[in-house]
Amino acid sequence: ITVNLKHPDGLAVVRKLVEGADVVVENFRPGVLEKFGLGPDDVRASNPGLIYARISGYGQTGPYRSRPGFASATEGEGGFRFVNGFAGQAPVRPNLSLGDSLAGMQAAFGVVMALYNRTKTGKGQVVDMALYEAVFNMMEGVIPDYSSLGHIRQPSGTTVSGIVPTNTHLCQDGKYVIIGANSDQIF
C-alpha cells in the first residue's frame, strides 16, 4: 500500500498497522518517524513487542546522524572504495549499490536476533543499522592490520593484498581467467 503520512487518515492507517506489527523497517533520516508520533518510544505502550529496524546512512545517534545517507558516500566512508581500484587512481565504485544491500542484510540479521530475544523476554528492540557501518563490517583483515600493526591497506587492483596466488589474468584469446587459489596448497 501507499500511505501519505502527512495526511491524518494516512497516519491513522500506519498507526493501526504498527499496533499489530511484529517488525517495522524504515529508512528515513533519524527523527522523521518521531515527528509523526511513530517512533519506537511513541508506540511501545500499544505494542511492547515491536521490533524496529532503522536503516540510515549514519545511524540514529552520533555526529553525522542528520546527514542524508547514500551508498555512494558511505562506501567511501566505510573504507570500501579506498581499498578497491588501482594505486594512484580514483577509488572505484562497484556497478551496484553494495552499501544498501549490506545494510539491509545486516539489519535483517539483527531483526532475526531481536525476534529470537523477544521469544524469551516478550520485549521488542530497536535495530540501528548505518550504511557506513555495514560497509565497515565487511573490511575483514583491514581493521586488525591497522589496529595491531599500523598498516594501511592500499588499493590492490584485481588482487587481494596478502593472498597469493589470487588475481585476474588476460589469456591469449583475449578472455580473462580468475585464479582464486588463496594458498600454495590449493594452487
Side-chain angles (χ1 to χ4, degrees):
I1 64 172
T2 301
V3 179
N4 181 354
L5 291 175
K6 295 179 180 178
H7 190 280
D9 292 341
L11 193 53
V13 167
V14 172
R15 281 198 178 111
K16 183 73 174 163
L17 288 169
V18 167
E19 286 177 7
D22 286 309
V23 178
V24 169
V25 179
E26 62 100 350
N27 70 334
F28 292 108
R29 286 188 199 174
V32 169
L33 283 185
E34 284 77 3
K35 289 179 184 176
F36 290 108
L38 293 171
D41 293 337
D42 300 315
V43 300
R44 187 166 288 121
S46 64
N47 188 350
L50 183 64
I51 295 160
Y52 266 81
R54 308 191 88 171
I55 304 170
S56 62
Y58 303 95
Q60 299 297 306
T61 61
Y64 297 149
R65 71 184 290 275
S66 62
R67 284 184 178 179
F70 298 95
S72 57
T74 60
E75 288 163 5
E77 290 176 309
F80 176 78
R81 289 196 183 188
F82 178 76
V83 299
N84 286 284
F86 298 86
Q89 295 182 14
V92 173
R93 179 179 188 183
N95 196 14
L96 53 113
S97 186
L98 188 62
D100 291 327
S101 299
L102 290 170
M105 288 188 313
Q106 291 178 29
F109 186 61
V111 166
V112 169
M113 292 182 348
L115 286 166
Y116 177 74
N117 184 69
R118 188 177 71 185
T119 66
K120 308 285 186 196
T121 66
K123 295 180 182 178
Q125 293 184 36
V126 174
V127 175
D128 181 6
M129 187 72 252
L131 272 69
Y132 88 94
E133 288 176 337
V135 173
F136 185 73
N137 288 339
M138 299 281 93
M139 297 304 287
E140 54 167 19
V142 171
I143 307 309
D145 280 356
Y146 180 75
S147 62
S148 299
L149 306 171
H151 176 262
I152 299 173
R153 188 178 295 184
Q154 298 299 308
S156 61
T158 59
T159 189
V160 177
S161 299
I163 307 293
V164 177
T166 295
N167 209 336
T168 303
H169 302 277
L170 180 61
C171 298
Q172 191 173 11
D173 64 0
K175 296 179 181 175
Y176 290 90
V177 62
I178 298 171
I179 298 174
N182 294 7
S183 73
D184 287 338
Q185 292 93 353
I186 297 172
F187 185 68

